[in-house]
């Protein structure tokens, strides 16, 4: 994990190392739908969160969810098997650094069969003093 130079509000941005698999996902990022979220957590406080994902397709799907920063985000249920219009919560745990910063996390939702990304989630996490 690296810290970038200070940003406008004097908080560093945490950047993860980019694996070969994530190089592929980042190339596909321009071509898949992306949802954006932001949240705030206390520094050094492990937090459980969840996001509702609804299957937008007309048929059943089997997806796998991956993140570019597994050292900060731990996904509890990394596979989704959904019928048409069915939803499911993606549960994850955030283990933020002990110092205030901003973390830009990416999640990719990948088709289990084709192993191609179908959707992305970008999340900015503001880590504040607790």
């Amino acid at each position: 994990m690296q810290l970038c130079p200070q940003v406008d509000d004097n908080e560093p941005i945490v950047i993860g190392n980019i694996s070969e698999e994530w190089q592929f996902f980042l190339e596909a990022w321009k071509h898949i739908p992306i949802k954006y979220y932001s949240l705030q957590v206390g520094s050094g406080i492990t937090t459980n969160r969840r996001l509702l994902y609804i299957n937008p397709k007309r048929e059943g799907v089997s997806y796998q969810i991956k993140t570019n920063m597994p050292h900060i985000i731990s996904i509890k249920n990394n596979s989704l098997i959904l019928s048409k219009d069915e939803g499911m919560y993606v549960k994850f745990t955030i283990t933020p650094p002990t110092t205030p910063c901003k973390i830009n996390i990416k999640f990719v939702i990948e088709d289990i069969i084709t192993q191609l990304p179908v959707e992305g989630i970008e999340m900015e996490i503001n880590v504040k003093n607790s």
Side-chain angles (χ1 to χ4, degrees):
M1 179 170 53
Q2 301 171 298
L3 292 179
C4 278
Q6 300 292 338
V7 292
D8 294 339
D9 55 1
N10 286 335
E11 292 180 354
I13 295 177
V14 177
I15 298 185
N17 297 327
I18 299 175
S19 67
E20 194 173 304
E21 178 182 41
W22 269 91
Q23 289 288 358
F24 170 75
F25 292 146
L26 292 175
E27 287 297 316
W29 212 251
K30 309 170 223 181
H31 308 288
I32 60 175
I34 308 294
K35 292 180 181 169
Y36 298 92
Y37 297 93
S38 67
L39 63 101
Q40 184 173 313
V41 297
S43 59
I45 300 171
T46 299
T47 306
N48 292 314
R49 297 290 177 161
R50 62 187 187 166
L51 285 173
L52 179 61
Y53 182 81
I54 297 175
N55 176 17
K57 298 196 173 196
R58 295 177 192 226
E59 70 275 352
V61 293
S62 298
Y63 291 146
Q64 187 168 328
I65 301 172
K66 298 179 179 178
T67 180
N68 66 330
M69 291 195 191
H71 55 289
I72 293 176
I73 298 286
S74 171
I75 301 172
K76 299 297 181 190
N77 56 331
N78 61 354
S79 62
L80 300 172
I81 300 170
L82 302 169
S83 301
K84 176 186 177 241
D85 295 327
E86 185 180 25
M88 184 177 202
Y89 282 102
V90 176
K91 298 173 186 171
F92 57 96
T93 301
I94 303 167
T95 307
T98 55
T99 56
C101 62
K102 288 184 182 176
I103 306 171
N104 295 310
I105 304 281
K106 287 182 174 23
F107 295 87
V108 69
I109 299 170
E110 173 188 59
D111 186 299
I112 288 177
I113 296 167
T114 64
Q115 295 186 329
L116 294 174
V118 293
E119 193 171 320
I121 297 171
E122 282 194 41
M123 183 179 295
E124 182 179 90
I125 300 173
N126 291 311
V127 180
K128 300 290 183 186
N129 282 329
S130 44

